[in-house]
Amino acid sequence: MTNGAGAAAAPNAAVLAAARRIREQGDSAPRLARDPVNRAMIRNWTEALGDADPRYPELAPPAMVQVWTMHGLHGQRAADDPLGAMTAVLDEVGYTSVVATDCEQSYHRYLVPGEQLAVRTRLTDVVGPKRTALGEGWFVTTVSTWSVGAEPVAEMMFRVLKFRPPAPSAVPEPLTAPDPPEPPTLPTPPRNVLRPTVTRDTEYFWAGTSAGELRVWRCGGCGLLRHPPGPMCPRCGATRPEYLVASGLGAVYSFVVHHHPPVPGRELPFVVALVELAEGVRVLGELRGVEPSEVRVGLPVEIDFDRVDDELTLPAWRPR
Ligand code: ZN
């Protein structure tokens, strides 16, 4: 690990000292579930997940184990909760953001309605500071054990990254390889991109990108093509929009190279191109797969689809 400037050494030492103290406290006191394992909650869970296994609700799905001891909407962590204590220490020195990175559960047996669970948690590990894609932070690992009476029935290893969020106006530092030995690596963070507002006028377009189609608004009255879409034809006034599926071929009509400010989900610099389609309308999108210095007006491009998640696929462009 690298502490860099001497000023950082003192907070780091304080974090490590606090981690040692909390770890040495061992398990928290057992915290009782608010209610025994019960059929109503099992039904809610299995119906929400669409799990029609006929053994439920006379047994509880093992993966529900954490449900039984949740704090509830207005609950508060116990004073001896080690994750709460470690979180407070890291908040104090500026590592205020959190993301869960790993969770492993082990189940010893099925639970049945009527059983009363309790959970204990201990801190096992605090590692850092590490540089990650989200910012500099500490990996905090706890292990929780659920028991019925004296019998352990399940365990969970839970790891979070407590990180210092980059200043909003700062250009993120380039990522560099962490010092050996390799720390636990962070799974690819969920992509935080700017999301379009989908309206009745634009939903056909976003449904199209999800389906791998570039759809262009076409007037149901006179056949005019236009983009971006709208409710009414500017030529004939008809309000019967249709669409055609474009070839996806075009050429750069204009473009910008975006250097600043940082944009969620994008690596700087990136190119935004206004592309004139073979069909005649112009469509914006990120132009990828080409050095910004190589982009020129007239560059032949084709559509590419950037699938962000199940809900969103962004149109993008690539050279052809
Ligand atoms: Zn029209």
Side-chain angles (χ1 to χ4, degrees):
M1 115 180 60
T2 306
N3 283 337
N12 291 349
V15 168
L16 291 169
R20 193 177 318 115
R21 177 175 49 78
I22 296 167
R23 197 169 52 231
E24 283 169 1
Q25 288 168 1
D27 274 314
S28 60
R31 183 167 57 79
L32 283 179
R34 293 197 294 177
D35 298 291
V37 173
N38 63 84
R39 290 179 184 80
M41 191 63 82
I42 294 169
R43 288 188 205 281
N44 290 340
W45 168 283
T46 53
E47 287 172 13
L49 293 186
D51 187 340
D53 189 317
R55 291 175 297 173
Y56 308 140
E58 299 312 313
L59 295 176
M64 279 187 78
V65 67
Q66 198 175 5
V67 168
W68 306 116
T69 51
M70 282 190 168
H71 290 88
L73 190 57
H74 305 292
Q76 293 194 334
R77 291 182 180 279
D80 69 345
D81 177 81
L83 185 55
M86 200 62 226
T87 295
V89 168
L90 289 165
D91 283 343
E92 187 71 21
V93 289
Y95 298 95
T96 52
S97 295
V98 66
V99 62
T101 65
D102 293 82
C103 179
E104 287 175 17
Q105 297 188 344
S106 312
Y107 317 113
H108 301 309
R109 64 166 174 82
Y110 283 91
L111 300 175
V112 297
E115 290 190 297
Q116 177 67 51
L117 280 172
V119 64
R120 291 167 296 150
T121 302
R122 66 183 188 277
L123 181 71
T124 59
D125 215 8
V126 176
V127 177
K130 299 293 184 187
R131 186 173 295 178
T132 75
L134 294 173
E136 186 185 82
W138 297 74
F139 290 92
V140 178
T141 307
T142 56
V143 171
S144 297
T145 305
W146 284 269
S147 303
V148 174
E151 178 198 4
V153 292
E155 281 101 33
M156 174 174 72
M157 181 280 288
F158 186 61
R159 181 172 295 132
V160 300
L161 172 68
K162 280 287 287 175
F163 62 100
R164 191 192 299 278
S169 61
V171 177
E173 288 184 63
L175 295 177
T176 55
D179 299 338
E182 193 68 24
T185 52
L186 185 65
T188 307
R191 280 181 62 195
N192 173 26
V193 302
L194 297 173
R195 287 177 177 264
T197 302
V198 179
T199 67
R200 278 197 307 178
D201 293 334
T202 61
E203 77 189 341
Y204 78 95
F205 181 84
W206 298 111
T209 57
S210 288
E213 292 180 355
L214 179 61
R215 296 177 179 175
V216 174
W217 189 98
R218 178 172 60 195
C219 174
C222 70
L224 177 77
L225 297 179
R226 71 159 170 162
H227 185 89
M232 180 185 286
C233 177
R235 186 160 71 188
C236 75
T239 53
R240 287 181 288 123
E242 304 170 350
Y243 66 82
L244 68 78
V245 177
S247 63
L249 303 177
V252 173
Y253 181 83
S254 183
F255 68 96
V256 295
V257 180
H258 184 106
H259 293 275
H260 187 80
V263 175
R266 298 273 177 253
E267 274 186 40
L268 300 174
F270 62 93
V271 179
V272 178
L274 182 62
V275 168
E276 185 156 273
L277 298 182
E279 289 80 3
V281 299
R282 296 172 194 151
V283 179
L284 271 177
E286 185 182 359
L287 174 54
R288 310 189 300 181
V290 58
E291 286 298 314
S293 60
E294 304 288 307
V295 182
R296 56 184 170 77
V297 169
L299 181 75
V301 296
E302 62 187 355
I303 191 72
D304 198 1
F305 293 102
D306 179 10
R307 189 177 180 287
V308 175
D309 53 34
D310 288 345
E311 267 78 47
L312 179 63
T313 298
L314 294 170
W317 300 101
R318 64 176 177 228
R320 62 181 156 101

